[in-house]
Amino acid sequence: RTRARCCHHVHAQEALPTLSALILSGSTVAAAVRSEVAERVARLNERGQSVGLATVLVGDDPGSQIYVRSKHRAAEAAGIVSIDRRLPGSVSQAEVLATIAELNEDDRVTGMIVQLPLPDGLDGGAAVEAVDPGKDSDGLHPFNLGRLVLSRPAPLPATPSGILRMLDYYGIETAGKTAVIVGRSFLVGRPLALLLGAKGVDATVIQAHSRTPDLPGVCREADILVTAAGRPNLFNATYVKPGATVVDVGINRTDDGLVGDADFDAVVDVAGAITPVPGGVGPMTIASLMVNTVALAEAKDD
Ligand code: NAD
């Protein structure tokens, strides 16, 4: 465990050393998860089964290209075969669906990711729904989201499950705690609320969003505050109860580079623990995609 600022070196001009949050390193946890995945892949390979992750990338959005590249890198490091399908932004919806149908039929493909968002004019939701639910590495197919609502086993949405894995790794208690999740997207906020409130995790969940009155006051109720609004540096110290755990999901491209939703420098002195951006939730998301991919291959093997 590392501390953000070292309290041993108290400089003369500083009155008292401030308490500083535990930094929750997603990079560290993700490396551990990835090596576990690599072992599982190796066991399948020994039995003659390969694990293959296909990505479908439409258009040339630079952010999406970076995400897809890091997914391939993580897959290859774990011994998962990468299948990289790229379509120009000018394709029709029918061509996108035909590509997905082809990958559904391809035995080398045991898991698939449709990189969202699709360019304007294409229906990302319909594309996700076209993926074979048994190959849904993202855990975003309506069938699998439905199973999540029903507490039935399913590939879980990667960002929410990565967050749970990280809290578990650092021994951050969820049972009996109040979790405030800011954001209600199908990708992050909504499934995370289900997972944090599930039996065995047992947080009391408050889902906040853009229409929530007195957002700072609601956030100050949180023992665990998850910021997934996509608003750079919105969450300053006034949103954080002293000692709370802050999980910053936001990835915002600004003139100062990549920043989270939390104002890290201000919050780090109030929170008990905080995830950095980058190096926090992002690597956990990718690690969780690899977990889903190997688990789907194992299920096929049974
Ligand atoms: P989204 O735009 O689909 O949803 C944002 C949500 O935040 C909405 O539900 C909205 O109600 C809420 N919101 C917006 N502005 C708000 C405000 N001012 N106050 C309160 N609530 C507000 O976004 P998303 O796909 O859920 O992603 C959210 C952020 O997380 C983005 O920055 C995205 O880049 C990032 N993200 C990171 C990862 C990762 O792996 N770290 C994965 C997915 C998304």
Side-chain angles (χ1 to χ4, degrees):
R1 295 185 177 194
T2 49
R3 292 257 159 196
R5 285 175 199 167
C6 184
C7 298
H8 312 306
H9 310 294
V10 179
H11 299 291
Q13 64 270 34
E14 282 176 3
L16 280 169
T18 48
L19 193 65
S20 195
L22 172 70
I23 305 300
L24 307 176
S25 169
S27 308
T28 302
V29 187
V33 173
R34 281 199 308 267
S35 69
E36 205 186 294
V37 170
E39 285 170 25
R40 289 164 66 180
V41 172
R43 274 198 291 276
L44 286 169
N45 289 167
E46 280 163 21
R47 293 212 293 271
Q49 197 194 335
S50 71
V51 183
L53 175 66
T55 57
V56 179
L57 174 59
V58 186
D60 49 16
D61 176 69
S64 292
Q65 287 174 342
I66 292 170
Y67 290 135
V68 166
R69 201 177 311 134
S70 45
K71 289 167 190 177
H72 284 296
R73 214 178 290 131
E76 277 149 23
I80 297 172
V81 177
S82 279
I83 296 138
D84 190 352
R85 297 300 304 269
R86 297 188 179 218
L87 300 170
S90 58
V91 288
S92 66
Q93 181 76 13
E95 287 170 284
V96 174
L97 296 182
T99 299
I100 294 167
E102 188 192 303
L103 295 168
N104 282 341
E105 295 304 315
D106 187 337
D107 286 337
R108 291 175 309 154
V109 177
T110 53
M112 194 193 316
I113 289 166
V114 178
Q115 185 65 40
L116 298 176
L118 296 186
D120 285 347
L122 295 172
D123 183 348
V128 170
E129 206 160 338
V131 173
D132 177 347
K135 294 189 176 189
D136 176 26
S137 289
D138 265 326
L140 295 176
H141 189 284
F143 178 82
N144 290 321
L145 288 175
R147 291 184 59 99
L148 169 59
V149 173
L150 297 168
S151 303
R152 308 256 294 149
L156 298 173
T159 301
S161 65
I163 290 169
L164 258 76
R165 224 173 238 120
M166 181 152 56
L167 294 175
D168 182 57
Y169 180 94
Y170 282 103
I172 291 167
E173 187 63 71
T174 51
K177 304 296 181 188
T178 298
V180 175
I181 300 164
V182 186
R184 55 181 165 186
S185 72
F186 81 99
L187 193 62
V188 185
R190 203 178 290 276
L192 181 60
L194 290 168
L195 285 175
L196 279 171
K199 265 201 180 125
V201 184
D202 296 327
T204 300
V205 175
I206 298 171
Q207 184 129 50
H209 45 76
S210 53
R211 305 283 175 94
T212 299
D214 185 23
L215 190 62
V218 171
C219 290
R220 279 196 306 274
E221 296 292 313
D223 302 306
I224 299 169
L225 173 62
V226 183
T227 61
R231 296 283 176 268
N233 298 324
L234 172 67
F235 298 87
N236 59 35
T238 67
Y239 289 69
V240 180
K241 175 163 87 177
T245 296
V246 178
V247 176
D248 190 356
V249 182
I251 298 179
N252 305 293
R253 277 160 227 285
T254 70
D255 294 341
D256 302 329
L258 278 192
V259 302
D261 284 358
D263 180 350
F264 185 90
D265 291 338
V267 169
V268 76
D269 293 331
V270 183
I274 186 169
T275 65
V277 178
V281 176
M284 291 308 301
T285 296
I286 293 177
S288 294
L289 287 172
M290 301 306 134
V291 172
N292 284 345
T293 302
V294 73
L296 289 166
E298 287 166 347
K300 195 185 144 201
D301 190 50
D302 285 343

